[in-house]
Amino acid sequence: MPRWLQKQMSNAFLNKDKYQIKMLNQCWYFYRHRHKN
């Protein structure tokens, strides 16, 4: 997981920001899916 995404994730969890967590999860899923090859 990229550094910037880790930072965003921990911030979202600290703030208990469910919307942001959901958004970042989708972001990470697409990122992983795209860079699999």
Side-chain angles (χ1 to χ4, degrees), residues 4-20:
W4 61 269
L5 195 57
Q6 284 179 336
K7 263 183 166 175
Q8 293 290 318
M9 272 293 209
S10 51
N11 274 344
F13 275 108
L14 281 174
N15 299 328
K16 292 181 174 61
D17 189 345
K18 286 192 178 121
Y19 175 75
Q20 197 181 2

Side-chain angles (χ1 to χ4, degrees):
M1 189 180 285
R3 201 96 180 106
W4 61 269
L5 195 57
Q6 284 179 336
K7 263 183 166 175
Q8 293 290 318
M9 272 293 209
S10 51
N11 274 344
F13 275 108
L14 281 174
N15 299 328
K16 292 181 174 61
D17 189 345
K18 286 192 178 121
Y19 175 75
Q20 197 181 2
I21 292 170
K22 205 178 286 185
M23 208 172 62
L24 289 167
N25 275 333
Q26 285 179 333
C27 200
W28 174 233
Y29 174 79
F30 285 121
Y31 181 88
R32 242 185 32 205
H33 200 69
R34 186 166 282 171
H35 293 277
K36 207 180 256 185
N37 305 345

